[in-house]
Amino acid sequence: MQETGFTPAHIVRLYDRFEALDKEKTGLLRPQDFGAINGLAMNPIGDRIIGAFFSPGQETVDFHSFVRILAHFRPEDKKRPKDPSMPEPVNSRTSKIKFAFQLYDQDKDGKISRAELLQVLRSMLEMQVTEEQLESIADRTIQEADLDKDDAISFEEFRKSLEKVNIDHKMSIRFLR
Amino acid sequence: MSVRLALHSPSGSRSFLERGLLLLVMLIFLEGTVLTLGAASSPDIGAQDNTGGGHDHRGIAGSHDHTNYTYIKKAFPVLSLDYHHIQVPFEISLWVLLASLMKLGFHLIPRLSSIVPESCLLIVVGLLVGGLIKLAGEEVPPVLDSNLFFLCLLPPIILDAGYFLPIRPFMENIGTILMFAVVGTLWNAFFVGGLLYAVCQIEGTYLSQVELLPCLLFGSIISAVDPVAVLAVFEEIHINELLHILVFGESLLNDAVTVVLYHLFEEYSGAGEVTPMDVVLGVICFLIVSLGGIAVGAIYGILAAFTSRFTSHTRVIEPLFVFVYSYMAYLSAEMFHLSGIMALIACGAVMRPYVEANISHKSHTTVKYFLKMWSSVSETLIFIFLGVATVAGPHAWNWTFVSVTVILCLVSRVIGVVGLTFIINKFRIVKLTTKDQFIVAYGGLRGAIAFSLGYLLDKDLFPMRTMFLTAIITEIFFTVFVQGMTIKPLVDLLAVKKKQEAKRSINEEIHTQFLDHLLTGIEDICGHYGHHHWKDKLNRFNKKYIKKCLIAGERYKEPQLIAFYHKMEFKQAIELVESGGGVKLPSAVPSQVSMQNIQPKKLPPPVAERALPQFTKGREEEIRKILRSNLQKTRQRLRSYNRHTLVADPFEDGWNDFVLKKQRLIELEKKMTEMSNYLTVPGAIPDSPTMCRARLASDPNAFYNIKASSDGIPTIQVDLASPQSPDSVNMLNEFSKEGATGQGLGQREGADRDEDQGLMMKLAGKGEKGEEEGGSKNPGLMRCLSDPGPSNEDEEDEPFLP
């Protein structure tokens, strides 16, 4: 409860949702349960999102993890005192960006390689463009963001390229406040 | 003109003299204008058509005609003056000319326009003109006639605002805007009206004959924030997008409330009381007025979009459709007493993405320029007329009433904004700070709409009309002068966030789109039908059905990201060429630039693909040196756009030299014996007009294609990038996430290709291949052979993606 910052009302609401998704009432969610959600099936990065809920190697996700992942999308607490000794709360700007980064970085090597970027672009652009175009976009993207010239985007570079974007606005769901 | 000489002249004294001379000329002109206008409005003019020498006889002859029935032959009139004949158009033109010259004048005086906002200056000019007319002894014409105002002067401004409305921030803040517009205006109206009535009832003010309903009517007239004034002032202070859209959106949307309240109180002022039934009817009326207005606008917008689908053969009248449909939307809404402003906004906003995908580049430029021109002139005229109308009177000054009005308006605005923000902040993710609240409150300017509404009041029903008008004018003056002048220093003082020079990187684009998808997905998981969910649904609907109907040809398939990418590449290419002087490019020449042809999968690839090897540093330098020594330096692109500065078209000069450059380049290529690297740019989809609409901001021979031919002879082909236009990225996020307005090929490309053919023939035997490549593209590109028009304005720098 405390680490996510959700109020009890939120937790209850999320639990209801969890149960609704959990058709077989096992108390755990499987990828198929997520797949049953209509909108997600049409989402270009739907499978990545689903994948984010499951820790590596795990086949199921329990309510605790479910809530923990969703806590990333709680709007930031502006009034939070900046206490360096406390760990970064899960819905801070950095954590949100980290979450997004992990969605890009599927092999978890801490960098978004060109291939990974290409994959994302391919899924987002939905077959409307040619492979060469995708490649040139990917090249351009890496070139723009890549400051240490290692032909991949590290987390810091990723964060830097998003400095003008209002992450709190773009990555928060209002009702989870 | 002598002015330009003056400005360029080195010696200060001479320029001062010239400038003084110009002002003198203008003043004389002003005087002449004023006298003419004054004279024209006097009632004697009708009888004065015998001013010519030759007419005297006719007068006499005419009077004799009845009695004698003889025709007395008179001298043939060689030269005669018949002012009456052309009076009305002449006067109108004089006013417009006066307004434009004033605008010119203000910008010649350098310091003035930075201290005093233009609207103030224009009102002062109006006062001067009115004063001069009065001094000349003539009666001041009732220029701010309500019909003229509402039917002619207001629509261009609103259309301009609506067509270029930044949809994404507008929709994101729509809840806040609506709260301010509806609840805020209601609060203002009742607060001001009620308290005024209370004050009027106090003994000793001699105002006790003012009843409650007229007071409330007055309150509703004066409480509406005016879009014209807001636009005029806010345009010059460049605050951040959020605040701008909040105040501006509020000023647009409160029209519905004002209309309803005005009609309600006007109707029942005669009856003297308002029953609860009337209130209920009023609420229903409000809904009908606003939603009806939007519906009317949307219908006309869709009609316009549909019409523009078929205009590919008659490009010349394309802009006309935009204007006429919008104006008809306004008039139709006004016909039913719906909110004309909202209709106009809806029409412009709805039609824009589709129309822009359909019309040619030139038409697009025309639409933009005409809208800016008309709205600029309208705004100038409105302020001048306000000044004139102030002088015209009649006035009934009542210290109590006027001062209480001014104070109450301020107070109620502040309380309203603070109170509403407190409520709104509970629902917003990005909260409004105190600074924001202050700016929103302080930016609530009143303007000519209030005056016109007051002017419309019936004299008989409202005996205190003149007092109302005086108070309205005082309030307008107060807000425009005091608030308008001080808002800029205050903004600087409070260090309010200014408008960002948004230069989106492709990273931001991709990641923003990614995050949108992510959030939609998360919302789906949570089962929460939020903002993103509906946005996504609307986009899909739009893509699947609407775009197919309203956009001609294959263009609707262009994805947004691609459009943006190409625009960026193109910009970078231009920078590469412009920089010529060895400036390090931000992303330099990419190590692997491979921009290939954009083509929907169906069309056969018109141009063969070109692979790219690495660019070494040495090659880069060589290329740069060559480009530098041969390219014409181009004018810089102006980044900011406002109504006063139209961006110079850099191509106008360059085109003529283009051919010369080409010749020189042919010689150049012989030098480049070892060039095996090249920079290539993809070609264009033949039939896509949007692809043709690139905004080339620099030299036409901007992008050089240095290609290694298979037989080893280095060739230089001039080939322009096919990226899409940086222009008009501003789309309804609801309607086109995937980009109906993906735009632009280098439209120079077609032109270049033509030229290219000539060149390429001379070059090592590539001619035929190039010829047919070019040939297959040329028909589609023919209409792209035009000047590119203005370059980026900051409204078009709106991020591509919602």
Side-chain angles (χ1 to χ4, degrees):
Chain A
M1 202 90 30
Q2 193 155 28
E3 70 178 76
T4 61
F6 280 131
T7 65
H10 284 139
I11 306 276
V12 169
R13 209 187 327 181
L14 289 174
Y15 191 70
D16 287 336
R17 181 65 183 168
F18 185 84
E19 292 210 305
L21 287 175
D22 184 13
K23 306 250 171 21
E24 294 151 25
K25 302 283 173 259
T26 55
L28 299 167
L29 285 182
R30 261 157 277 277
Q32 309 88 286
D33 297 321
F34 282 106
I37 306 173
N38 275 337
L40 221 47
M42 285 200 293
N43 198 314
I45 55 170
D47 42 355
R48 281 174 192 256
I49 301 176
I50 297 175
F53 277 87
F54 297 89
S55 321
Q58 292 239 317
E59 289 275 316
T60 58
V61 64
D62 62 353
F63 183 62
H64 192 76
S65 325
F66 183 72
V67 168
R68 190 142 29 88
I69 300 284
L70 286 181
H72 284 290
F73 294 94
R74 210 162 59 81
E76 261 183 88
D77 303 318
K78 290 273 161 48
K79 308 254 177 61
R80 181 176 60 89
K82 293 215 187 309
D83 189 351
S85 63
M86 281 189 359
E88 195 84 23
V90 81
N91 66 337
S92 74
R93 188 190 157 93
T94 315
S95 310
K96 288 186 204 255
I97 299 182
K98 191 120 186 96
F99 185 76
F101 186 78
Q102 276 160 353
L103 283 177
Y104 273 97
D105 182 23
Q106 291 287 24
D107 56 7
K108 312 256 181 279
D109 61 354
K111 290 186 189 300
I112 305 177
S113 69
R114 191 162 167 275
E116 286 168 341
L117 190 59
L118 264 179
Q119 270 181 336
V120 171
L121 284 173
R122 205 173 288 132
S123 49
M124 283 210 295
L125 291 172
E126 295 178 24
M127 300 304 160
Q128 283 163 350
V129 298
T130 62
E131 197 55 35
E132 302 79 23
Q133 284 173 284
L134 280 179
E135 290 196 12
S136 37
I137 296 180
D139 287 330
R140 169 92 194 204
T141 311
I142 293 188
Q143 195 198 22
E144 241 181 29
D146 196 9
L147 301 165
D148 54 7
K149 305 276 176 257
D150 58 355
D151 205 33
I153 304 179
S154 71
F155 176 64
E156 276 311 311
E157 291 161 357
F158 185 74
R159 193 188 6 199
K160 189 152 195 323
S161 69
L162 284 176
E163 58 189 359
K164 284 202 203 134
V165 177
N166 186 346
I167 292 292
D168 193 34
H169 185 74
K170 277 249 157 236
M171 278 189 76
S172 301
I173 302 188
R174 219 168 285 186
F175 87 108
L176 291 178
R177 194 188 325 240
Chain B
M1 259 196 68
S2 60
V3 179
R4 220 162 278 159
L5 287 172
L7 293 174
H8 290 303
S9 80
S11 68
S13 62
R14 204 164 12 124
S15 70
F16 180 73
L17 189 65
E18 296 277 12
R19 213 175 278 186
L21 244 130
L22 174 72
L23 281 175
L24 193 64
V25 165
M26 279 175 55
L27 271 171
I28 294 176
F29 183 80
L30 195 63
E31 183 77 30
T33 311
V34 159
L35 283 176
T36 320
L37 286 168
S41 66
S42 76
D44 324 339
I45 191 66
Q48 281 175 15
D49 56 353
N50 53 357
T51 44
H55 281 247
D56 293 338
H57 295 289
R58 189 183 287 180
I60 303 169
S63 65
H64 282 321
D65 262 354
H66 294 291
T67 50
N68 299 346
Y69 297 103
T70 57
Y71 184 75
I72 299 173
K73 186 170 176 217
K74 61 193 184 305
F76 188 74
V78 177
L79 183 66
S80 53
L81 180 69
D82 188 5
Y83 182 70
H84 194 58
H85 186 57
I86 47 108
Q87 180 180 355
V88 174
F90 193 77
E91 284 175 30
I92 297 175
S93 311
L94 266 181
W95 277 116
V96 174
L97 198 56
L98 174 72
S100 316
L101 284 174
M102 284 300 119
K103 245 175 130 68
L104 262 183
F106 293 147
H107 289 275
L108 286 176
I109 309 172
R111 297 258 334 273
L112 195 61
S113 45
S114 56
I115 304 174
V116 186
E118 209 178 82
S119 38
C120 304
L121 291 171
L122 289 170
I123 295 186
V124 169
V125 168
L127 285 173
L128 278 176
V129 171
L132 284 171
I133 294 183
K134 252 213 168 127
L135 276 179
E138 307 289 348
E139 190 194 303
V140 180
V143 275
L144 205 53
D145 173 43
S146 291
N147 257 353
L148 173 71
F149 177 76
F150 280 114
L151 293 182
C152 299
L153 291 178
L154 192 59
I157 301 179
I158 304 295
L159 179 61
D160 178 39
Y163 196 77
F164 293 113
L165 190 70
I167 292 290
R168 190 189 46 91
F170 187 75
M171 283 299 164
E172 278 179 5
N173 295 298
I174 190 81
T176 317
I177 293 176
L178 276 176
M179 273 289 270
F180 277 126
V182 177
V183 180
T185 313
L186 279 173
W187 156 260
N188 279 346
F190 283 103
F191 186 77
V192 172
L195 278 186
L196 260 182
Y197 178 65
V199 166
C200 287
Q201 294 305 99
I202 298 176
E203 290 295 325
T205 57
Y206 309 104
L207 285 172
S208 45
Q209 77 274 23
V210 181
E211 296 160 35
L212 178 64
L213 277 173
C215 270
L216 285 175
L217 177 61
F218 178 74
S220 65
I221 294 176
I222 200 128
S223 62
V225 178
D226 187 80
V228 179
V230 165
L231 259 178
V233 170
F234 271 49
E235 204 173 74
E236 300 178 6
I237 61 179
H238 299 298
I239 50 169
N240 64 58
E241 192 183 62
L242 171 68
L243 286 178
H244 186 245
I245 200 71
L246 279 182
V247 182
F248 184 57
E250 180 197 343
S251 67
L252 289 176
L253 294 186
N254 65 17
D255 181 59
V257 181
T258 313
V259 163
V260 171
L261 281 179
Y262 182 80
H263 285 302
L264 189 71
F265 290 132
E266 200 194 7
E267 282 282 319
Y268 293 115
S269 285
E273 61 160 15
V274 176
T275 65
M277 185 60 188
D278 297 326
V279 173
V280 171
L281 283 176
V283 171
I284 299 178
C285 181
F286 167 71
L287 287 170
I288 293 180
V289 159
S290 49
L291 294 174
I294 295 177
V296 167
I299 292 174
Y300 275 98
I302 293 181
L303 277 175
F306 193 66
T307 313
S308 71
R309 186 180 167 182
F310 302 107
T311 57
S312 40
H313 299 288
T314 42
R315 293 273 170 208
V316 188
I317 53 171
E318 270 172 344
L320 192 66
F321 285 119
V322 172
F323 302 137
V324 172
Y325 273 112
S326 313
Y327 195 49
M328 296 254 306
Y330 180 76
L331 294 175
S332 309
E334 286 291 325
M335 181 165 68
F336 295 108
H337 279 299
L338 304 173
S339 168
I341 290 183
M342 290 178 93
L344 214 41
I345 303 282
C347 185
V350 164
M351 92 171 127
R352 189 175 179 205
Y354 308 109
V355 160
E356 292 204 334
N358 282 331
I359 63 178
S360 76
H361 176 74
K362 271 184 176 165
S363 305
H364 174 79
T365 312
T366 311
V367 166
K368 178 156 59 184
Y369 269 42
F370 263 84
L371 280 178
K372 294 289 175 199
M373 181 185 79
W374 273 329
S375 64
S376 195
V377 169
S378 262
E379 186 185 294
T380 318
L381 275 177
I382 288 179
F383 283 114
I384 292 186
F385 284 174
L386 258 180
V388 173
T390 312
V391 175
H395 290 296
W397 182 269
N398 182 306
W399 275 103
T400 327
F401 193 76
V402 170
S403 52
V404 168
T405 308
V406 172
I407 296 172
L408 277 181
C409 280
L410 262 181
V411 168
S412 80
R413 176 91 183 147
V414 170
I415 298 178
V417 168
V418 170
L420 281 175
T421 317
F422 181 72
I423 303 174
I424 289 171
N425 269 343
K426 295 201 167 57
F427 298 98
R428 281 181 67 95
I429 299 182
V430 178
K431 313 247 185 252
L432 292 174
T433 64
T434 324
K435 264 194 237 168
D436 295 338
Q437 290 174 38
F438 175 75
I439 296 291
V440 171
Y442 206 66
L445 306 172
R446 289 10 180 223
I449 291 187
F451 180 79
S452 308
L453 284 176
Y455 204 79
L456 270 177
L457 289 175
D458 191 345
K459 279 198 189 51
D460 305 316
L461 273 180
F462 300 95
M464 68 295 294
R465 176 174 168 270
T466 48
M467 186 172 70
F468 283 176
L469 279 176
T470 312
I472 292 174
I473 287 190
T474 316
E475 172 68 20
I476 295 177
F477 271 47
F478 180 77
T479 55
V480 172
F481 279 92
V482 174
Q483 288 178 231
M485 275 205 272
T486 53
I487 199 166
K488 191 158 187 190
L490 274 173
V491 161
D492 291 331
L493 193 70
L494 290 175
V496 175
K497 251 189 352 185
K498 293 263 178 121
K499 187 177 209 160
Q500 272 181 326
E501 288 301 323
K503 201 173 173 205
R504 295 266 292 209
S505 67
I506 191 148
N507 270 280
E508 278 180 27
E509 281 298 318
I510 295 180
H511 299 322
T512 325
Q513 203 172 19
F514 185 83
L515 290 176
D516 276 338
H517 284 304
L518 171 62
L519 218 54
T520 312
I522 296 287
E523 278 186 1
D524 285 330
I525 291 179
C526 291
H528 172 66
Y529 288 138
H531 190 56
H532 286 84
H533 177 89
W534 294 118
K535 211 158 81 164
D536 198 52
K537 262 209 160 131
L538 193 57
N539 282 333
R540 277 186 212 282
F541 177 69
N542 183 36
K543 198 164 160 207
K544 214 167 158 200
Y545 301 113
I546 300 185
K547 283 194 197 173
K548 278 202 187 132
C549 299
L550 297 179
I551 300 182
E554 297 280 323
R555 297 160 217 150
Y556 61 91
K557 290 216 186 108
E558 285 155 10
Q560 201 166 344
L561 199 57
I562 296 295
F564 184 80
Y565 168 70
H566 281 285
K567 164 186 137 199
M568 295 217 64
E569 285 292 333
F570 196 67
K571 265 194 208 169
Q572 186 204 301
I574 302 297
E575 279 170 23
L576 165 64
V577 163
E578 271 183 346
S579 75
V583 172
K584 282 245 176 294
L585 295 172
S587 23
V589 177
S591 54
Q592 265 195 357
V593 175
S594 64
M595 293 185 278
Q596 299 300 330
N597 297 320
I598 310 159
Q599 37 191 309
K601 294 255 162 147
K602 291 188 199 166
L603 298 176
V607 175
E609 293 169 3
R610 307 163 192 156
L612 273 183
Q614 293 278 345
F615 249 136
T616 63
K617 283 273 185 274
R619 297 287 174 236
E620 268 186 55
E621 273 309 294
E622 244 178 297
I623 295 174
R624 281 215 193 106
K625 210 186 342 162
I626 288 164
L627 292 177
R628 193 186 322 157
S629 55
N630 281 282
L631 286 179
Q632 180 186 18
K633 281 266 184 275
T634 60
R635 274 181 254 166
Q636 291 302 318
R637 284 162 66 163
L638 289 171
R639 291 251 169 232
S640 73
Y641 177 85
N642 61 27
R643 233 173 252 163
H644 311 307
T645 59
L646 292 180
V647 175
D649 183 351
F651 277 111
E652 280 159 358
D653 301 21
W655 183 240
N656 295 328
D657 300 322
F658 182 76
V659 179
L660 287 168
K661 295 283 179 222
K662 283 287 173 78
Q663 308 299 329
R664 261 185 263 166
L665 278 169
I666 299 168
E667 295 148 33
L668 198 70
E669 53 96 1
K670 290 184 184 112
K671 291 185 203 166
M672 306 179 59
T673 50
E674 281 181 23
M675 296 301 288
S676 58
N677 306 316
Y678 47 84
L679 200 61
T680 62
V681 194
I685 297 185
D687 71 349
S688 163
T690 65
M691 308 285 271
C692 295
R693 223 179 287 148
R695 295 243 171 258
L696 292 174
S698 64
D699 198 63
N701 37 355
F703 212 130
Y704 289 91
N705 212 338
I706 308 150
K707 182 172 155 184
S709 65
S710 51
D711 42 10
I713 301 175
T715 64
I716 303 177
Q717 287 171 346
V718 178
D719 200 350
L720 283 181
S722 69
Q724 318 208 336
S725 159
D727 175 41
S728 81
V729 186
N730 184 13
M731 306 180 267
L732 296 174
N733 64 354
E734 285 82 0
F735 287 119
S736 53
K737 195 165 187 173
E738 312 285 320
T741 66
Q743 301 207 355
L745 255 187
Q747 80 256 34
R748 276 296 185 218
E749 182 172 17
D752 285 345
R753 240 164 247 284
D754 283 338
E755 300 277 339
D756 246 343
Q757 306 320 309
L759 265 186
M760 282 162 72
M761 298 276 261
K762 293 177 197 171
L763 300 176
K766 281 271 170 194
E768 300 88 58
K769 185 173 169 206
E771 183 83 22
E772 54 178 283
E773 289 174 13
S776 69
K777 284 209 240 259
N778 269 339
L781 290 169
M782 284 316 260
R783 75 186 182 115
C784 306
L785 305 181
S786 57
D787 55 43
S791 62
N792 253 345
E793 287 92 32
D794 44 9
E795 81 240 351
E796 326 230 41
D797 261 341
E798 269 277 303
F800 234 92
L801 295 172

